[in-house]
């Protein structure tokens, strides 16, 4: 992240979803969330701003890959 007000937060969610992801903030505004849902076995990108540069999207994906384990958590079916 280039600007001083840019930040990345790693956040888990077990209320509505079950997984972990990164939130990307620019100028203290949430602009992108990339989330790994272990129950649904999906990885999704949610944008909170209408226009996001390709550079920011690519950088956000790289941050996600660095900070969040790629493999889903395996749950027992019992």
């Amino acid at each position: 992240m280039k600007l001083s007000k840019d930040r990345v937060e790693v956040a888990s969610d077990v209320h509505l979803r079950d997984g972990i992801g990164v939130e990307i903030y620019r100028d203290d505004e949430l602009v992108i969330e990339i989330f790994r849902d272990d129950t649904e076995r999906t990885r999704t990108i949610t944008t909170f701003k209408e226009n996001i540069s390709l550079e920011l999207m690519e950088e956000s994906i790289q941050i996600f890959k660095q900070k969040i384990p790629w493999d889903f958590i395996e749950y027992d079916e019992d």
Side-chain angles (χ1 to χ4, degrees):
M1 305 266 101
K2 294 176 178 48
L3 301 174
S4 61
K5 289 189 177 183
D6 286 356
R7 74 178 191 274
V8 175
E9 293 188 12
V10 174
S12 64
D13 187 349
V14 294
H15 178 66
L16 298 175
R17 310 174 285 186
D18 188 5
I20 190 167
V22 294
E23 298 174 337
I24 309 298
Y25 291 82
R26 174 147 287 171
D27 294 326
D28 292 325
E29 179 183 357
L30 178 61
V31 292
I32 298 172
E33 176 197 62
I34 306 176
F35 190 78
R36 185 197 76 204
D37 188 314
D38 293 318
T39 302
E40 299 294 323
R41 301 181 67 78
T42 59
R43 294 175 197 87
T44 58
I45 297 174
T46 304
T47 59
F48 297 93
K49 193 173 178 183
E50 193 168 318
N51 296 309
I52 295 177
S53 70
L54 178 60
E55 292 81 12
L56 178 58
M57 187 63 74
E58 289 175 334
E59 186 176 359
S60 299
I61 292 168
Q62 288 305 311
I63 290 168
F64 175 81
K65 288 179 176 181
Q66 291 170 358
K67 295 193 175 282
I68 305 300
W70 191 252
D71 295 333
F72 295 106
I73 293 175
E74 297 294 331
Y75 294 104
D76 292 334
E77 297 290 326
D78 297 338

